[in-house]
Amino acid sequence: MSEKYGVVFVLGGPGAGKGTQCVRIEKEFGFLHLSAGDLLREERQKKDSKIGNEIEMHIRNGTIVPVEITCSLLHRAMKESSNQNFLIDGFPRNKDNLDGWNREMSALTEIKRVLFFNCSDSVCIQRCLNRGKTSGRSDDNEESLKKRINTYRESTLPVIEHYCNLELVSEIQADKTQEDVWAEVKGIFEKICS
Ligand code: UDP
Ligand code: MG
């Protein structure tokens, strides 16, 4: 392969609207949406998966799955697609994720941008509890949410800070309506693609 994959990381708290906006970005700009959480949930469901229990434990506790697992799922999905550009949603979430990505993937990829969906805790919690009524997700409940928000604060914010220092971050005010957030996201992507 001659050209590097283009990557936009999408970060923010649980319920900040990453997945919702990624669907719209994919449609409008053609970046393939890969949700790390969805890939982990898919892997967990596989009958012969030896790591299913380990993944479920982390998801329920709001802790982070070891990078070897997540990174290899992401890399596989990238190779299996015919796309050149990817939106990686919900990763890297901590220093282990960041170091593992840099080790395994930095030679193959160019990080074009990091979108940071900044949203207040109260809005995040309300959205996830609403989603929990229909999502069937084992972590959209109050107890898991407290842990997820803690992990986000302690482990993910420093990753965002790291990319801030590299001047790669675009921050989005995410506690607005879907349409208002989209207007902001679209403007940022138009620049990325120009
Ligand atoms: N997760 C992980 N590593 C990742 C992405 C997700 O360990 O790179 C786990 C983690 O336990 C997290 C859960 O999957 O709390 C759900 O992540 P998801 O991104 O789906 O949640 P969201 O932030 O979209 O609500
Ligand atoms: Mg999500």
Side-chain angles (χ1 to χ4, degrees):
M1 195 186 62
S2 56
E3 223 184 312
K4 287 184 176 188
Y5 292 125
V7 167
V8 171
F9 287 132
V10 182
L11 296 172
K18 306 180 292 290
T20 306
Q21 296 294 329
C22 280
V23 171
R24 301 186 70 156
I25 299 168
E26 182 179 71
K27 219 167 160 188
E28 179 105 7
F29 295 97
F31 280 56
L32 186 70
H33 174 210
L34 298 177
S35 157
D38 286 350
L39 290 169
L40 289 167
R41 283 184 284 273
E42 217 172 274
E43 181 65 28
R44 176 190 64 184
Q45 289 327 115
K46 288 188 184 157
K47 284 211 171 56
D48 55 350
S49 176
K50 294 189 188 76
I51 51 179
N53 288 337
E54 185 183 356
I55 293 174
E56 175 57 15
M57 189 272 287
H58 283 292
I59 288 180
R60 216 177 262 273
N61 286 325
T63 49
I64 314 286
V65 174
V67 68
E68 289 71 21
I69 296 175
T70 318
C71 203
S72 68
L73 293 174
L74 286 167
H75 193 185
R76 186 169 74 196
M78 291 167 80
K79 283 187 293 192
E80 282 173 0
S81 82
S82 50
N83 275 61
Q84 191 62 29
N85 290 308
F86 299 89
L87 277 173
I88 299 190
D89 161 9
F91 177 96
R93 269 179 142 87
N94 65 1
K95 189 165 188 309
D96 173 62
N97 280 183
L98 180 63
D99 292 345
W101 173 272
N102 286 339
R103 224 168 27 238
E104 301 294 325
M105 301 298 288
S106 56
L108 309 174
T109 54
E110 181 203 351
I111 302 172
K112 290 179 176 271
R113 206 74 211 150
V114 176
L115 302 189
F116 167 34
F117 284 75
N118 197 358
C119 192
S120 64
D121 287 357
S122 58
V123 171
C124 283
I125 290 169
Q126 205 43 55
R127 286 180 185 166
C128 288
L129 291 178
N130 270 338
R131 178 172 71 186
K133 291 176 193 158
T134 51
S135 68
R137 277 179 53 162
S138 59
D139 61 348
D140 281 340
N141 58 72
E142 230 156 320
E143 207 188 319
S144 292
L145 265 166
K146 274 191 198 131
K147 296 176 182 165
R148 289 161 70 193
I149 287 176
N150 260 341
T151 301
Y152 165 67
R153 272 235 180 74
E154 282 171 17
S155 305
T156 312
L157 283 178
V159 172
I160 296 169
E161 184 83 38
H162 164 79
Y163 285 122
C164 256
N165 293 333
L166 299 176
E167 294 183 353
L168 281 171
V169 174
S170 295
E171 180 174 336
I172 293 142
Q173 283 318 312
D175 39 15
K176 303 182 292 192
T177 65
Q178 238 193 78
E179 287 308 317
D180 286 350
V181 175
W182 172 241
E184 212 176 318
V185 169
K186 198 172 170 216
I188 291 166
F189 250 81
E190 277 161 357
K191 278 194 206 132
I192 294 174
C193 295
S194 67

